[in-house]
């Protein structure tokens, strides 16, 4: 009863035209509830098989779906996977629903609706909730999904890298052939200040005197070939905000949907770090055979080796800032680290680490990444240093699902930057990055590992708010329970959403306010913010905050429940899932079709209960992948689906009338996760470097000290291709320390090359310039002038911050 994607992709499905879309979005602070009604019509003279597909972003969760025609009605119903289908649905007919992970940045919901006769219509109604991204200026950003605005579906992207065909989407290049009615209701306790969009809007209408609620709509036709984006500005942007959403009056008191929910947004104001200066942080590198072998071979013997696999390890380790802690694990040889625990980044510690790496033996056994991760998580991190992992994967681990669960369990204590050298590992790399707010990079033969790794390192070196904690002050009789967990760190440019439920009954009803104090440490200084919020619940009754809180709670419960810690956690997860409508690995979607079906569903095979979607941990091929958890079987099925798609695209590429090119002639695809920080990169834009250039850069990097300086030596003279005696003779008389002159020469030499070397050595150069500024500001101008003369260059003083 496997429902794999390749089963449905043996022939391209024709599209069914979208006639009209009605979208109603309710935005309160940084959460949104979207209700939509889509009408599709079969305008051809033949019947069509209809498969509705709806990609969900990484911060979205669907909680209601139904489709109906004049003959039948199909509704997606959540039920406990341990319950018999006949008992759960009262003996109704069953259709297949699917919600699984693809190369999209989240889940994909799909439901087979059978055959649609000529001229017939099908009406699809779906509802979902999502957390909105917070722009740097404090605005909430909402984007209309492409399924609801199909003129924005990019066929090349879907054809090249998507495992789904949108059979109900009307892809076109001309004027939109459907009508769109879009209405947005806005609410915030801070007030609605302004709304901006990339399409025409009706005037903003305030529906309350305090301007806390407002409404706006689409004016005229939607723009062609553009995402519809809405930016909502509230009152003065603050580092922390809290709003109370009322519960469902029909739900029992004390239940998830019954009690009020506090929606908390944490967005610390963190200044930019000056490149090259001391920074805190714990950086742990998990290496496999690929990186180890590159570290052992100093100079590649072939030009292709230098272009495809440069020794990125020295660039990475020498680019670390002073003040941080580091450790290195060679997990294919042992699960232990170079050091028992992370050590301070010093010259001696780095030299010792490199010597131990070069003496570490490689292994042909399966990589023990899971054991290494558990070893790291059991090690206490240095106080005041945010933990970040750099994971390099050349081979697919046999226990990838357990690895994803382990990372998920510790998601609030670290970030992962994962690098894969095979497309078989891409799904795991993306999952690890997405769970922890990091990034994933696909290292192919068309790009340079050193550049990709250093890109992620630059992001990792952004400062962070450390030691995050919350303290609540509520009237007697009330208490706040944070659902999920509070992150230990929040990095610059990021924000965190928290959901806290208020339980109990206030003994003093005259007190109508509560207080929340948020504390964290920034650069060793304690920072505190206190926010006041009204205890009188507000909201439109759509429970967006409650449903997202349920999603957050499931995220916390699932790793422990899946590990077999007892039935109590599993029952709790099922209860939360069924009450909120948010699917989890222990619940399934069943497509329930009413008995009034006449000719609408005319499939050759009648789906049965065993073919339905399920998310249980015991299922290997028919499953659901929750956005924030990887159940058993998910990665296996994704790989099988991609193989089916690859066969399909290879056959189509052979058809000359399609004008398609073979896989080998085009650039590597690039997947981006919009609205988030995790990116799977496979970019072919990097030009290969020559063996000589890269070898010279490697030699120069090897000679640099961890504080950023270079010593005046014969090795440096060899790289500069200048006689050592001439270098010493040209040293300005004002310079008393030869390392100052050597460092100026090294930085000047780097700038003789093109921008590629500057990008690769940007962090190294920043440390060198910072060290020079602390040693000899008055001597830099004379040193730079002499260096330009000696090397025949024209480097500007601005390079040295002069």
């Amino acid at each position: 009863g496997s429902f794999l994607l390749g089963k449905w992709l043996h022939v391209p499905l024709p599209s069914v035209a979208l006639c009209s879309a009605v979208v109603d979005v309710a935005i309160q602070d940084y959460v949104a509830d979207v209700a939509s009604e889509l009408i599709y019509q079969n305008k051809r003279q033949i019947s069509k098989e209809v498969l509705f597909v709806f990609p969900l972003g990484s911060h979205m969760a669907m909680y209601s779906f139904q489709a109906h025609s004049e003959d039948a009605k199909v509704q997606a119903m959540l039920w406990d996977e341990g319950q018999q289908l006949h008992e759960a649905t009262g003996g109704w007919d069953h259709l297949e629903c699917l919600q699984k992970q693809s190369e999209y940045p989240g889940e994909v919901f799909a439901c087979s609706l059978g055959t649609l006769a000529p001229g017939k219509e099908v009406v699809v109604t779906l509802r979902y909730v999502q957390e909105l991204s917070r722009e740097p200026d404090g605005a909430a950003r909402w984007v209309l999904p492409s399924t609801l605005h199909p003129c924005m579906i990019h066929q090349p992207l879907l054809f090249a890298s998507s495992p789904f065909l949108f059979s109900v989407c009307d892809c076109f290049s001309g004027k939109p052939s459907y009508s769109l009615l879009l209405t947005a209701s806005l609410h915030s306790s801070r007030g609605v200040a302004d709304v901006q969009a990339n399409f025409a809007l009706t005037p903003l209408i305030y529906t309350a005197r305090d301007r806390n609620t407002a409404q706006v709509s689409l004016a005229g036709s939607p723009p062609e070939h553009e995402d519809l984006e809405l930016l909502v500005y509230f009152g003065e942007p603050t580092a922390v905000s809290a709003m109370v959403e009322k519960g469902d009056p029909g739900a029992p008191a004390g239940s998830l949907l019954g009690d009020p929910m506090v929606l908390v947004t944490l967005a610390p104001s963190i200044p930019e770090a000056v490149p090259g200066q001391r920074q805190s942080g714990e950086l742990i590198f998990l290496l496999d055979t690929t990186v180890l072998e590159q570290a052992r071979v100093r100079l590649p013997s072939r030009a292709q080796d230098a272009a495809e696999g440069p020794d990125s390890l020295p660039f990475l380790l020498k680019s670390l800032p002073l003040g941080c802690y580091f450790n290195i694990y060679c997990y294919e040889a042992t699960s232990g680290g170079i050091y028992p625990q992370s050590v301070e980044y010093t010259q001696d510690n780095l030299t010792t680490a490199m010597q131990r790496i070069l003496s570490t033996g490689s292994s042909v056994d399966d990589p023990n990444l899971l054991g290494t991760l558990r070893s790291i998580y059991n090690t206490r991190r240095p106080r005041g240093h945010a933990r970040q992992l750099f994971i390099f994967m050349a081979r697919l681990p046999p226990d990838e699902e357990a690895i994803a669960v382990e990372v998920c369990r510790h998601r609030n204590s670290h970030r992962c930057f994962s690098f894969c050298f095979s497309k078989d590992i891409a799904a795991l790399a993306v999952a690890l990055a997405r769970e922890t707010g990091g990034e994933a990079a696909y290292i192919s033969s068309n790009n340079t590992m050193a550049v990709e790794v250093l890109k992620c390192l630059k992001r990792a070196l952004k400062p962070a708010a450390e030691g995050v904690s919350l303290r609540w002050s509520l009237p007697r009789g009330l208490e706040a329970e944070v659902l999920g967990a509070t992150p230990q760190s929040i990095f610059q440019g990021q924000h965190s959403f928290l959901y806290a439920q208020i339980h109990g009954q206030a003994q003093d009803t005259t007190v109508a306010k509560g207080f929340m104090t948020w504390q964290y440490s920034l650069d060793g200084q304690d920072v505190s913010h206190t926010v006041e919020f009204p205890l009188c619940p507000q909201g439109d009754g759509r429970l967006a905050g409650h449903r997202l809180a349920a999603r957050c709670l499931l995220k916390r419960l699932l790793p422990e429940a899946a590990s077999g810690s007892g039935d109590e956690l599993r029952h709790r997860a099922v209860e939360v899932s069924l009450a909120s409508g948010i699917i989890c690995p222990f619940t399934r979607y069943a497509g329930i079709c009413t008995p009034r079906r006449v000719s609408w569903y005319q499939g050759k095979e009648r789906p049965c209960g065993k073919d339905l979607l399920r998310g249980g941990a015991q299922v290997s091929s028919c499953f659901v992948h929750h956005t924030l958890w990887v159940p058993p079987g998910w990665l296996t099925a994704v790989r099988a689906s991609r193989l089916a798609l690859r066969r399909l695209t290879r056959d189509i590429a052979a058809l000359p009338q399609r004008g398609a090119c073979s896989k080998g002639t085009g650039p590597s695809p690039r997947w981006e996760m919009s609205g988030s920080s995790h990116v799977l990169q496979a970019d072919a834009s990097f030009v290969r470097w020559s063996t000589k250039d890269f070898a010279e850069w490697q030699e120069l990097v090897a000679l640099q000290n961890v504080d950023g300086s270079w010593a005046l030596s014969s090795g440096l003279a060899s790289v500069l291709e200048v006689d050592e005696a001439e270098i010493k003779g040209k040293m300005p008389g004002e310079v008393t320390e030869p390392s100052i002159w050597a460092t100026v020469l090294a930085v000047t030499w780097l700038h003789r090359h093109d921008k590629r070397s500057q990008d690769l050595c940007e962090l190294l150069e920043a440390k060198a310039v910072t060290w020079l500024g602390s040693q000899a500001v008055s001597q830099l101008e004379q040193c730079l002038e002499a260096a330009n003369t000696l090397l025949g260059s024209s480097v500007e003083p601005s390079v040295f911050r002069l």
Side-chain angles (χ1 to χ4, degrees):
S2 299
F3 189 84
L4 294 180
L5 212 45
K7 170 183 173 183
W8 293 89
L9 290 180
H10 57 283
V11 290
L13 296 176
S15 63
V16 177
L18 175 63
C19 298
S20 69
V22 179
V23 181
D24 177 29
V25 55
I27 297 175
Q28 49 180 347
D29 272 10
Y30 298 100
V31 301
D33 181 287
V34 181
S36 62
E37 181 181 86
L38 310 172
I39 301 177
Y40 298 93
Q41 184 182 31
N42 184 4
K43 296 183 178 181
R44 296 177 180 260
Q45 299 303 312
I46 59 175
S47 298
K48 291 184 179 181
E49 194 78 13
V50 178
L51 174 67
F52 181 81
V53 180
F54 183 60
L56 292 162
S58 57
H59 297 289
M60 298 166 62
M62 196 186 71
Y63 66 90
S64 176
F65 171 85
Q66 69 176 23
H68 65 86
S69 70
E70 61 183 20
D71 299 320
K73 177 181 178 181
V74 177
Q75 182 173 358
M77 174 182 173
L78 267 186
W79 57 289
D80 186 347
E81 62 134 8
Q83 186 180 14
Q84 291 297 321
L85 179 63
H86 183 86
E87 174 189 349
T89 61
W92 289 353
D93 294 330
H94 312 135
L95 299 179
E96 290 192 21
C97 292
L98 169 71
Q99 183 164 335
K100 69 185 292 182
Q101 174 67 27
S102 70
E103 289 174 352
Y104 286 96
E107 299 168 344
V108 171
F109 173 85
C111 183
S112 174
L113 302 180
T115 304
L116 189 62
K120 296 296 184 179
E121 291 184 348
V122 56
V123 181
V124 174
T125 303
L126 63 91
R127 292 172 175 265
Y128 66 90
V129 291
Q130 70 178 118
E131 294 176 342
L132 303 181
S133 61
R134 184 183 187 275
E135 298 297 291
D137 57 3
R141 180 176 178 265
W142 178 75
V143 180
L144 183 67
S146 58
T147 304
L148 312 183
H149 184 43
C151 64
M152 269 313 298
I153 294 183
H154 304 287
Q155 279 185 309
L157 174 61
L158 294 176
F159 183 78
S161 62
S162 170
F164 292 98
L165 294 177
F166 288 75
S167 62
V168 293
C169 292
D170 183 19
C171 299
F172 47 81
S173 58
K175 183 178 180 180
S177 60
Y178 73 102
S179 62
L180 173 63
L181 177 61
L182 172 63
T183 302
S185 301
L186 315 173
H187 174 72
S188 175
S189 58
R190 293 179 288 149
V192 180
D194 189 21
V195 178
Q196 296 180 6
N198 63 341
F199 55 91
L201 289 173
T202 60
L204 186 65
I205 299 176
Y206 290 98
T207 55
R209 291 185 177 181
D210 57 8
R211 297 200 166 197
N212 284 351
T213 60
Q215 195 173 63
V216 70
S217 302
L218 168 69
S221 300
E224 303 173 17
H225 314 301
E226 281 190 72
D227 285 321
L228 299 189
E229 298 184 5
L230 198 67
L231 294 176
V232 183
Y233 293 85
F234 305 112
E236 198 67 28
T238 57
V240 57
S241 62
M243 186 179 70
V244 183
E245 179 183 81
K246 64 181 180 182
D248 183 1
S255 66
L256 177 67
L257 298 184
D259 286 351
M261 188 74 63
V262 185
L263 283 61
V264 180
T265 304
L266 306 179
S269 177
I270 303 177
E272 288 280 353
V274 179
Q277 290 191 348
R278 295 180 64 89
Q279 284 185 248
S280 62
E282 183 191 24
L283 300 163
I284 300 177
F285 305 96
L286 289 78
L287 311 180
D288 63 1
T289 303
T290 300
V291 182
L292 282 176
E293 290 303 322
Q294 290 175 4
R296 292 190 184 97
V297 182
R298 271 288 305 198
L299 298 179
S301 58
R302 297 185 297 121
Q304 184 179 359
D305 291 338
E308 295 184 0
D311 183 2
S312 62
L313 195 57
F315 284 95
L316 179 61
L317 296 177
K318 288 294 184 73
S319 298
L320 300 183
L322 293 175
C324 75
Y325 281 69
F326 81 105
N327 203 353
I328 302 171
Y329 289 76
C330 305
Y331 64 85
E332 287 193 344
T334 175
S335 61
I338 296 295
Y339 294 102
Q341 59 186 14
S342 296
V343 296
E344 188 175 358
Y345 182 67
T346 65
Q347 186 68 52
D348 291 341
N349 287 338
L350 179 59
T351 301
T352 301
M354 291 300 296
Q355 292 172 349
R356 293 179 180 177
I357 288 174
L358 297 178
S359 63
T360 301
S362 60
S363 172
V364 295
D365 298 330
D366 290 330
N368 187 22
L369 180 55
L370 178 61
T372 301
L373 288 170
R374 287 173 174 169
S375 175
I376 293 172
Y377 295 146
N378 290 331
T379 303
R380 184 185 298 272
R381 67 186 178 98
R383 181 178 177 84
H385 293 264
R387 173 172 287 177
Q388 300 182 84
L389 307 185
F390 283 68
I391 306 176
F392 296 83
M393 295 178 287
R395 292 186 291 166
L396 185 66
D399 45 7
E400 68 269 29
E401 287 145 357
I403 291 171
V405 171
E406 189 70 20
V407 171
C408 184
R409 184 180 288 114
H410 298 275
R411 71 170 65 86
N412 288 306
S413 65
H414 72 301
R415 283 201 302 186
C416 284
F417 294 86
S418 48
F419 307 90
C420 58
F421 299 84
S422 168
K423 290 185 178 180
D424 291 338
I425 322 173
L428 177 60
V430 171
L432 302 186
R434 182 177 57 245
E435 293 302 327
T436 59
E439 290 182 0
Y442 171 64
I443 308 299
S444 73
S445 60
N446 292 326
N447 58 25
T448 303
M449 187 172 78
V451 174
E452 292 297 337
V453 172
L454 289 173
K455 277 184 181 179
C456 291
L457 179 60
K458 291 173 186 177
R459 181 175 178 83
L461 293 182
K462 290 183 177 295
E466 278 291 314
V468 176
S469 65
L470 300 178
R471 188 174 70 251
W472 299 85
S473 177
L474 299 172
R476 182 171 298 178
L478 296 180
E479 62 176 2
E481 176 193 6
V482 177
L483 305 181
T486 303
Q488 296 181 9
S489 307
I490 302 177
F491 290 85
Q492 182 192 57
Q494 292 187 334
H495 57 273
S496 180
F497 295 120
L498 299 179
Y499 303 92
Q501 193 148 38
I502 299 178
H503 301 294
Q505 187 70 37
Q507 298 181 9
D508 185 359
T509 57
T510 62
V511 180
K513 294 181 180 180
F515 298 88
M516 185 197 74
T517 301
W518 172 36
Q519 293 179 315
Y520 60 90
S521 174
L522 184 62
D523 290 334
Q525 302 294 321
D526 292 334
V527 182
S528 177
H529 297 278
T530 299
V531 61
E532 174 187 299
F533 54 90
L535 292 177
C536 48
Q538 300 174 336
D540 51 14
R542 293 168 67 163
L543 304 176
H546 283 73
R547 298 188 198 279
L548 288 170
R551 176 175 167 270
C552 185
L553 180 58
L554 288 170
K555 181 172 59 176
R556 187 191 73 184
L557 293 174
L558 292 178
E560 298 298 333
S563 64
S565 301
D567 291 336
E568 183 178 349
L569 290 176
R570 182 194 178 280
H571 292 326
R572 174 60 172 155
V574 171
E575 177 187 0
V576 171
S577 176
L578 297 180
S580 62
I582 308 300
I583 196 170
C584 81
F586 306 113
T587 54
R588 314 182 193 182
Y589 270 130
I592 309 303
C593 183
T594 61
R596 294 183 297 125
R597 181 183 67 187
V598 181
S599 60
W600 185 40
Y601 184 81
Q602 300 173 353
K604 294 182 179 179
E605 296 181 2
R606 175 176 175 177
C608 58
K610 67 180 180 180
D611 291 325
L612 293 176
L613 164 75
R614 64 179 65 189
Q618 303 301 318
V619 181
S620 62
S621 60
C622 197
F623 57 86
V624 59
H625 168 62
H626 192 270
T627 304
L628 298 162
W629 188 75
V630 181
W634 169 66
L635 297 165
T636 303
V638 169
R639 288 195 297 273
S641 299
R642 292 187 60 187
L643 288 175
L645 179 65
R646 192 174 302 163
R647 289 193 295 269
L648 170 69
T649 54
R650 187 165 53 240
D651 293 340
I652 293 177
L655 301 177
Q657 62 268 29
R658 295 298 299 268
C661 60
S662 65
K663 178 183 176 184
T665 60
S668 301
R670 180 182 182 94
W671 298 270
E672 292 195 1
M673 300 184 174
S674 58
S676 62
S677 61
H678 16 276
V679 179
L680 178 57
Q681 300 171 346
D683 198 341
S685 60
F686 293 108
V687 180
R688 299 189 177 208
W689 295 316
S690 70
T691 306
K692 182 176 183 296
D693 285 344
F694 199 88
E696 290 175 345
W697 298 335
Q698 283 183 312
E699 288 187 64
L700 188 66
V701 169
L703 295 172
Q704 189 183 29
N705 299 316
V706 296
D707 62 3
S709 66
W710 274 270
L712 186 55
S713 64
S714 58
L716 178 62
S718 176
V719 174
L720 301 180
E721 296 181 336
V722 180
D723 184 74
E724 183 179 1
E726 184 179 2
I727 291 178
K728 293 179 179 179
K730 298 291 185 180
M731 184 172 66
E734 299 87 349
V735 178
T736 58
E737 178 58 49
S739 58
I740 295 175
W741 170 235
T743 304
V744 172
L745 284 172
V747 174
T748 304
W749 183 88
L750 283 174
H751 276 266
R752 291 180 57 196
H753 291 73
D754 55 25
K755 193 176 184 299
R756 292 174 297 168
S757 64
Q758 297 171 27
D759 290 340
L760 193 64
C761 302
E762 179 181 350
L763 295 174
L764 301 168
E765 178 188 305
K767 283 205 299 184
V769 172
T770 299
W771 180 83
L772 286 171
S774 66
Q775 298 292 319
V777 176
S778 60
Q779 306 168 25
L780 286 184
E781 289 189 7
Q782 294 87 345
C783 286
L784 176 57
E785 183 178 352
N788 279 330
T789 301
L790 178 63
L791 300 178
S793 58
S794 57
V795 176
E796 297 292 331
S798 59
V799 171
F800 294 87
R801 303 173 189 168
L802 296 177

